[in-house]
Amino acid sequence: MFDGIRIAALAIAMDLTACAVVFAGSTTASCPPSIAVEQKASAPDQWSVDYSKDKGVLSSITIFEGPPQEQASLKYDDERTAKDEIIEVWKLPKSERGYWMQCGYANTTAQLSRKLPDAISSCKAVLEKGVSYGGGGAVVKRASCSAGADDAKP
């Protein structure tokens, strides 16, 4: 009988742990550092198509209030410069419209967008100071959003 109770208690504890992990995972969001992109081009007569081997690497982050299609992008609230980095921070108060994160990538026009969980309260982008890609995009070391106060600190 005690073994059955122990097994049931262990199962409940495991379920609670799984719920905590799912909840914790839903309060952060990060741009993937790179994406794979397949392109298809057609060449006019006497021309051939070739493709660059360059990866689509993270080069921008945009935070929107409401869906990105509405184009309500937000400017960061704080920008600090460190020795070799620029740190941009967005503070996100509660919004009925919600917030979206859009990640842009060098070497492609593809972008990734997602609605941020309602618990998210800040986003931070860390850029390499004085460095950009050929197309003008920044070199983004990392970009993330969270519900914690740590992201609000530059």
Side-chain angles (χ1 to χ4, degrees):
M1 179 171 161
F2 288 111
D3 286 338
I5 292 173
R6 285 184 191 155
I7 291 171
L10 180 60
I12 290 170
M14 289 173 67
D15 283 344
L16 290 174
T17 301
C19 288
V21 168
V22 168
F23 178 76
S26 68
T27 59
T28 62
S30 298
C31 287
S34 64
I35 59 172
V37 177
E38 290 185 29
Q39 300 181 83
K40 184 175 181 176
S42 58
D45 289 342
Q46 300 179 358
W47 290 89
S48 64
V49 175
D50 193 12
Y51 297 97
S52 168
K53 306 294 186 249
D54 294 338
K55 292 175 24 180
V57 291
L58 185 61
S59 66
S60 70
I61 174 178
T62 307
I63 304 300
F64 293 89
E65 186 172 9
Q69 298 80 0
E70 295 177 6
Q71 299 184 349
S73 63
L74 303 176
K75 184 175 173 45
Y76 47 81
D77 294 295
D78 190 23
E79 181 180 62
R80 302 281 167 107
T81 302
K83 181 181 175 187
D84 59 349
E85 297 178 332
I86 298 171
I87 302 165
E88 299 172 343
V89 177
W90 291 260
K91 296 174 187 164
L92 307 176
K94 295 289 181 199
S95 168
E96 289 184 18
R97 299 179 68 212
Y99 295 101
W100 273 253
M101 171 188 240
Q102 187 172 74
C103 310
Y105 296 85
N107 307 315
T108 181
T109 57
Q111 300 177 96
L112 300 179
S113 301
R114 69 167 286 185
K115 185 178 189 306
L116 295 172
D118 291 337
I120 296 288
S121 59
S122 65
C123 295
K124 178 169 58 174
V126 179
L127 317 173
E128 280 195 43
K129 184 178 174 183
V131 181
S132 63
Y133 292 109
V139 176
V140 180
K141 290 183 174 182
R142 60 192 171 280
S144 62
C145 299
S146 74
D150 286 343
D151 265 356
K153 297 176 184 174

